[in-house]
Amino acid sequence: MDEDSGTVYLADREGAPSGGMQMSLPSGRIEVTAEESNSSISLGLENFKLLATHLGSQYRKQGKAPTEIRKFFA
């Protein structure tokens, strides 16, 4: 998540953008780029939408990016 640009983007563990998908925080618009992912682990579009929406929601509630994200499997 880049707070300055208001964008949530697909990234590797270190936070470096790995390409492929991004979401605008102000508009909520998801963009799938033609750029290939640099990461060997790719996140599917539906999972990215869920995580990016969650990040955006927490950002609006707290006024800052969450420091931790947990995903639970049922």
Side-chain angles (χ1 to χ4, degrees):
M1 174 179 208
D2 183 348
E3 294 178 75
D4 294 333
S5 70
T7 305
V8 176
Y9 51 82
L10 190 59
D12 62 19
R13 289 181 182 258
E14 287 76 38
S18 60
M21 295 175 260
Q22 64 183 26
M23 182 184 90
S24 166
L25 289 173
S27 71
R29 188 175 58 98
I30 302 273
E31 181 180 333
V32 179
T33 63
E35 184 179 321
E36 290 294 318
S37 175
N38 296 332
S39 173
S40 61
I41 299 174
S42 181
L43 186 66
L45 180 59
E46 291 304 314
N47 283 328
F48 177 77
K49 285 180 182 178
L50 290 172
L51 291 170
T53 301
H54 174 71
L55 276 171
S57 171
Q58 292 303 307
Y59 178 72
R60 283 187 287 282
K61 285 180 186 176
Q62 300 172 6
K64 61 181 180 176
T67 56
E68 184 176 63
I69 301 170
R70 295 182 187 192
K71 183 173 180 177
F72 295 95
F73 296 91

